[in-house]
Amino acid sequence: MKFFIDTANLEQIREAHKLGVLDGVTTNPSLMAKENIRGEEACRRHYIDICRIVEGDVSAEVIATDFEGMVREGEELAALDPHIVVKIPCTAEGIRAVTYFSAKGIRTNCTLVFSVGQALLAAKAGATYVSPFVGRLDDISEDGVALVAHIVRVYRTYGFRTQVLAASIRHTHHIIQCMDAGADVVTCPLNAIMGLLKHPLTDSGLKQFLADHARVNQG
Ligand code: E4P
């Protein structure tokens, strides 16, 4: 299972990268805006900065919503670095663009996926990744993890090679649930990644080990 960080914040990407377990990064226009990255040129420079930190895939999202615009933007993004994956919304124009990029060997992440039907079209179009949004479904009382499991089941039944990238992860338990559901990738905020390390027995056990060591080695 691959582990991506879901942020455009360079410090957080560096911190996760230092753990040695990071396989990639996902961004979206909201995450870029949060870092106050303005204008096309600044966005491109920021994606290049991210690619210099991680060795894995970096999803960069198109802003255009029409096929021609997505193709133009996506080609520019893909040319920035071999690790860039063009992130495209799961609309009719988006599926056309995924098909186009797939034929050209440019990798894509089909995003804003909320149903198994959307995931089916993304896979048939040849998307490298499909991104079901777990937290946003949970927010409206649907079951985001169940959608991940459903997509994994359908893809395995038909042998689709598109990787299921569980997105919109809100907390540590989502990560574990998506692993259980068979997701190929989970993209998470830094606090959810760090949350995986937290256990009171680890803290109390370490405290006891250090206290015992100090007692015997003092004086
Ligand atoms: C990543 O690919 C998605 O854009 C992101 O996970 C969305 O997360 P959110 O629902 O927390 O905004």
Side-chain angles (χ1 to χ4, degrees):
M1 196 201 81
K2 285 191 274 186
F3 216 32
F4 290 178
I5 187 168
D6 193 27
T7 183
N9 182 284
L10 297 181
E11 276 317 304
Q12 292 191 8
I13 295 169
R14 280 192 197 98
E15 194 175 333
H17 176 67
K18 271 193 273 180
L19 292 175
V21 297
L22 191 64
D23 299 302
V25 179
T26 50
T27 64
N28 64 37
S30 302
L31 293 171
M32 294 290 276
K34 202 169 159 192
E35 301 308 311
N36 210 16
I37 317 290
R38 298 164 193 224
E40 275 183 32
E41 200 39 52
C43 280
R44 288 194 194 117
R45 276 201 309 273
H46 201 75
Y47 290 133
I48 291 170
D49 288 344
I50 293 174
C51 290
R52 286 198 181 124
I53 301 172
V54 290
E55 277 108 51
D57 290 348
V58 174
S59 285
E61 189 159 342
V62 297
I63 304 297
T65 54
D66 62 303
F67 171 73
E68 287 78 14
M70 288 183 191
V71 164
R72 194 180 53 251
E73 261 186 63
E75 284 180 337
E76 285 169 10
L77 290 169
L80 293 176
D81 188 282
H83 289 112
I84 293 281
V85 175
V86 182
K87 201 173 178 195
I88 298 175
C90 193
T91 59
E93 298 287 288
I95 292 295
R96 269 184 77 195
V98 171
T99 306
Y100 171 88
F101 286 123
S102 165
K104 289 195 80 178
I106 292 177
R107 294 173 314 136
T108 53
N109 174 355
C110 193
T111 189
L112 286 166
V113 166
F114 294 94
S115 74
V116 74
Q118 290 177 315
L120 170 66
L121 292 180
K124 283 193 71 77
T128 313
Y129 297 105
V130 67
S131 289
F133 277 32
V134 174
R136 291 193 196 187
L137 280 171
D138 287 5
D139 288 345
I140 58 159
S141 304
E142 290 195 27
D143 188 342
V145 173
L147 175 63
V148 171
H150 195 172
I151 296 170
V152 167
R153 212 162 53 238
V154 170
Y155 280 11
R156 288 198 182 141
T157 300
Y158 291 98
F160 287 123
R161 290 168 60 193
T162 300
Q163 296 174 59
V164 180
L165 191 168
S168 185
I169 296 296
R170 300 271 194 263
H171 46 69
T172 301
H173 191 51
H174 269 160
I175 302 177
I176 308 297
Q177 289 177 301
C178 288
M179 276 167 59
D180 265 345
D184 300 288
V185 191
V186 182
T187 188
C188 339
L190 182 63
N191 61 349
I193 297 176
M194 299 314 277
L196 291 171
L197 286 169
K198 281 191 197 149
H199 201 289
L201 291 180
T202 304
D203 298 339
S204 59
L206 182 60
K207 198 171 162 198
Q208 185 68 55
F209 286 158
L210 295 179
D212 290 343
H213 174 84
R215 186 170 38 79
V216 173
N217 287 277
Q218 261 163 13

